Amino acid sequence: MEKKRYPTIEEESNTNMACEPATAAASVASNSVDGITAVHDWIDDLCWDQYPIIGPSSESEAIESIDKFEENLRNGQVHWTSSEEFDRQLFEEYPWLR
């Protein structure tokens, strides 16, 4: 059996040609990791104490908030609308959204 001889292609000069994806994948991965690392470093360097807390800051506050909502729901202070009713009201007020 005759051994086949394939031409060798220099990867750097012919990057648009079909070849083993390892080189291209490695360069993309290294670029992405550098970008992700930079973003994570920026996030880590933020002074988180100056930002307000949105929502409960502890489990007890979360339970308290849920209990208050359930009480308001029982008292009729919270009004639920089905998605169908919401769509009807929305399209009635803004007919061009249909």
Side-chain angles (χ1 to χ4, degrees), residues 24-34:
S27 67
V28 170
S30 66
N31 291 341
S32 298
V33 169
D34 292 343

Side-chain angles (χ1 to χ4, degrees), residues 35-76:
I36 291 170
T37 303
V39 169
H40 281 286
D41 289 345
W42 175 76
I43 290 172
D44 291 340
D45 292 341
L46 289 175
C47 180
W48 288 99
D49 294 334
Q50 70 184 10
Y51 297 105
I53 296 174
I54 299 173
S57 60
S58 67
E59 183 181 0
S60 61
E61 283 183 21
I63 292 171
E64 214 174 282
S65 173
I66 292 168
D67 290 342
K68 182 178 177 184
F69 177 80
E70 289 175 342
E71 183 65 31
N72 290 340
L73 185 60
R74 280 192 291 274
N75 294 336

